[in-house]
Amino acid sequence: MKTVFELSKPGRKAYQFPECHLLAYEFDSKYLSENELELPEVDEVSLVRHYTELSNHAYGVDNGFYPLGSCTMKYNPKINEITAALPGFTNLHPLQKKRDIQGSLELMYRLQEALKQITGMGAMSLQPAAGAHGEYTGLKIIKKYHTDRGDLSRTKIIVPDSAHGTNPASSTLCGLQLVNIPSLEDGSVDLDALSAACGADTAGLMLTNPNTLGKFDKNITKISQIVHDAGGLLYYDGANMNAIMGVARPGDMGFDVVHLNLHKTFATPHGGGGPGAGPVGVCEKLASYLPSPHVTKDRSGTYSLSTPENTIGSVKAFYGNFNVLVKAYTYILVLGREGLRNASEMAVLNANYLKHLLKKYDYDKDSRCMHEFVLSMEKVHKETGVSALDIAKSMIDYGIHPPTMYFPNIVHEALMFEPTETETKETLEEVAAIIIEIIDRAYTNPEEVKNSPKAAYITRPDEVKAAREPKLKA
Ligand SMILES: *Cc1c(COP(=O)(O)O)cnc(C)c1O
């Protein structure tokens, strides 16, 4: 396929501006570029065809099954797009007078209230723009809480090795010292290792629950007791709230801070870098530390923006990614209390059904999972030379997005599937049959699997090179 620059021919254009009735303004030459801008010149139909062809090379949930574990690539109902596109929302300016934007403030306030109920927390900020950004915000709050109390020795954050990769990264970014503790075979926290790691220097614990093996940590209340007894605070990575929504709440488990990924659990399309939203919920005693501004409602029912007393400051301009908040609120209203619970139950049921259909290759054959599970291709790899990567690549030829690979790294040749709640039983059965067919082919014709995908536009890029030496322009 040609780039839009290769299609360019001087003088062609795909736009028409209305006549301008304003006076021309001459910029001082010091503000002007000396070189002409190199912009592609193409006619309208070529431009439409170009972008349509590009879009056909992209794969999304609307194209097919997308079991990327830990990412919750579920179907996002189109009604969310309709509400987020309402002109009353899209034509606002963030500096508009508060009395003119009462409706938008009310939406944010109501969303805060709904998320407080869902998580069991005392207060909620909608400002952070992503999961990792929520982690950063939450850890800042934990750090400031200790510092404000004069408890300056609390500089360490405990992160089990089954945590999501963003957890250690956010801790380091916050200037907290990382203490890694090993997990047990099922990914759950090793209580002895936790007790040994806790002390007067513990700022807190960051826990991904369900963990990256898709298991709910059954010792959750013991974990929170151990950390609290040591004077630390508890951070709940709730990016995967879609596993427990309406069934269990981090607040009830004793957690002090939690973040959610609205662009996972609450149905905003994601991938490609945004926009997202990673609201942070805190227990009552941390409410005064939330980012500013915070949406509040006074006795007369008027909504306003306030600065919490001990705020960590702003983590993003204005109120966060407002259109994502509209989508999440729509999703919550459409589903309601029962619907949200049902979504989680279906996510867990679907994962367990697919796990059952593939149990021959399961890392952890005998137990149930939450919203995702992990297969190990270690045996297949030993016997055929075909790796988890080859199998994932081969799935592309069947029109399926590969699962998460080589993660969690406590499992060899891992393939991590998250089917999500929006897939049908038939889809899960078809997918299981395809995966079994690919693994069978690894035994009969390993070369064919190793040389897949055949049908994709880009087949086997050098993934390390793409990260280390990105080539961002032609
Ligand atoms: C996705 C995810 C994150 C990070 O969220 P981003 O929005 O990508 O920053 C953090 N923790 C867990 C468990 C996740 O699944």
Side-chain angles (χ1 to χ4, degrees):
M1 179 181 169
K2 285 185 176 168
T3 68
V4 73
F5 288 92
E6 288 165 335
L7 293 174
S8 181
K9 287 273 180 304
R12 295 204 180 148
K13 59 176 191 170
Y15 61 86
Q16 214 173 355
F17 286 127
E19 212 174 309
C20 179
H21 300 293
L22 299 173
L23 291 177
Y25 182 83
E26 291 297 328
F27 278 103
D28 190 320
S29 62
K30 73 179 178 207
Y31 297 120
L32 299 177
S33 162
E34 287 168 16
N35 305 316
E36 280 287 311
L37 270 186
E38 243 183 83
L39 295 175
E41 298 178 76
V42 284
D43 56 286
E44 184 171 330
V45 68
S46 300
L47 189 70
V48 168
R49 285 179 188 156
H50 176 72
Y51 281 106
T52 304
E53 191 179 349
L54 265 185
S55 78
N56 288 339
H57 287 309
Y59 185 90
V61 181
D62 292 356
N63 295 89
F65 192 59
Y66 204 137
L68 198 63
S70 201
C71 292
T72 314
M73 303 301 285
K74 66 186 184 187
Y75 173 73
N76 302 295
K78 299 301 171 242
I79 186 172
N80 300 350
E81 302 299 326
I82 296 170
T83 54
L86 289 173
F89 290 136
T90 54
N91 292 343
L92 291 177
H93 191 280
L95 291 176
Q96 231 161 311
K97 291 215 164 55
K98 300 302 160 281
R99 63 159 196 265
D100 295 338
I101 54 163
Q102 284 294 304
S104 298
L105 293 176
E106 179 174 357
L107 182 141
M108 287 192 274
Y109 183 83
R110 284 173 176 245
L111 179 60
Q112 283 173 194
E113 292 302 303
L115 297 179
K116 273 161 63 180
Q117 274 192 39
I118 291 168
T119 54
M121 305 308 286
M124 186 65 71
S125 167
L126 305 174
Q127 203 180 42
H133 197 195
E135 292 170 25
Y136 175 79
T137 306
L139 291 171
K140 276 269 191 210
I141 292 173
I142 290 178
K143 204 174 158 186
K144 187 154 194 293
Y145 170 78
H146 291 309
T147 313
D148 284 5
R149 298 171 79 231
D151 203 350
L152 302 177
S153 62
R154 297 195 178 271
T155 54
K156 294 192 175 158
I157 187 95
I158 302 169
V159 181
D161 65 1
S162 65
H164 192 268
T166 49
N167 293 185
S170 309
S171 307
T172 306
L173 200 63
C174 259
L176 289 162
Q177 250 174 294
L178 199 67
V179 180
N180 228 301
I181 56 167
S183 308
L184 301 176
E185 204 150 303
D186 62 353
S188 64
V189 173
D190 180 337
L191 294 183
D192 294 334
L194 177 64
S195 297
C198 278
D201 57 0
T202 302
L205 165 81
M206 256 190 126
L207 197 72
T208 304
N209 191 41
N211 62 40
T212 46
L213 280 171
K215 295 287 171 64
F216 188 93
D217 204 311
K218 54 186 183 302
N219 293 319
I220 197 83
T221 47
K222 280 189 202 141
I223 292 168
S224 80
Q225 179 108 41
I226 293 170
V227 177
H228 275 160
D229 284 353
L233 294 179
L234 284 140
Y235 187 99
Y236 193 100
D237 181 334
N240 299 323
M241 194 69 191
N242 55 318
I244 60 166
M245 192 166 49
V247 182
R249 310 193 304 171
D252 299 337
M253 300 170 206
F255 280 75
D256 303 293
V257 187
V258 58
H259 87 260
L260 300 171
N261 275 36
L262 298 191
H263 48 291
K264 286 179 183 169
T265 310
F266 297 93
T268 279
H270 63 112
V280 168
V282 293
C283 60
E284 294 289 352
K285 78 171 176 208
L286 297 178
S288 67
Y289 290 86
L290 282 182
S292 164
H294 186 241
V295 184
T296 49
K297 179 183 178 183
D298 69 19
R299 279 162 191 273
S300 69
T302 307
Y303 298 92
S304 52
L305 295 166
S306 70
T307 301
E309 194 185 344
N310 304 309
T311 184
I312 56 160
S314 290
V315 293
K316 184 163 186 346
F318 301 109
Y319 329 111
N321 282 327
F322 180 70
N323 72 337
V324 177
L325 307 179
V326 178
K327 290 176 196 180
Y329 188 60
T330 307
Y331 183 71
I332 290 171
L333 279 193
V334 169
L335 289 187
R337 190 183 289 261
E338 287 307 311
L340 291 175
R341 186 188 169 108
N342 186 50
S344 280
E345 287 173 348
M346 286 306 294
V348 172
L349 182 63
N350 275 355
N352 277 288
Y353 187 50
L354 190 58
K355 179 175 151 81
H356 168 76
L357 295 174
L358 295 167
K359 65 173 176 293
K360 195 169 160 199
Y361 310 101
D362 200 347
Y363 168 70
D364 178 22
K365 293 187 177 36
D366 305 319
S367 67
R368 291 202 207 145
C369 61
M370 296 295 289
H371 64 303
E372 61 192 3
F373 63 93
V374 181
L375 298 186
S376 173
M377 293 299 125
E378 196 176 8
K379 184 164 177 280
V380 176
H381 188 219
K382 266 201 201 117
E383 291 173 355
T384 67
V386 170
S387 67
L389 173 81
D390 298 326
I391 290 165
K393 288 285 181 190
S394 191
M395 286 170 67
I396 297 172
D397 280 337
Y398 291 86
I400 302 173
H401 194 282
T404 297
M405 302 178 294
Y406 300 100
F407 184 82
N409 43 24
I410 42 186
V411 178
H412 294 294
E413 295 293 324
L415 289 178
M416 184 195 204
F417 289 84
E418 178 179 8
T420 82
E421 69 272 20
T422 49
E423 298 301 331
T424 62
K425 184 167 177 278
E426 292 73 29
T427 302
L428 300 177
E429 286 163 357
E430 276 166 33
V431 167
I434 288 169
I435 294 165
I436 289 169
E437 188 181 319
I438 295 171
I439 296 175
D440 286 347
R441 184 156 322 119
Y443 286 89
T444 55
N445 190 352
E447 285 314 308
E448 195 182 330
V449 184
K450 283 188 196 175
N451 289 322
S452 57
K454 288 261 183 307
Y457 187 64
I458 294 171
T459 54
R460 296 224 178 192
D462 179 336
E463 287 162 30
V464 176
K465 199 174 161 78
R468 299 276 156 83
E469 299 167 38
K471 195 176 161 208
L472 300 176
K473 54 187 259 216

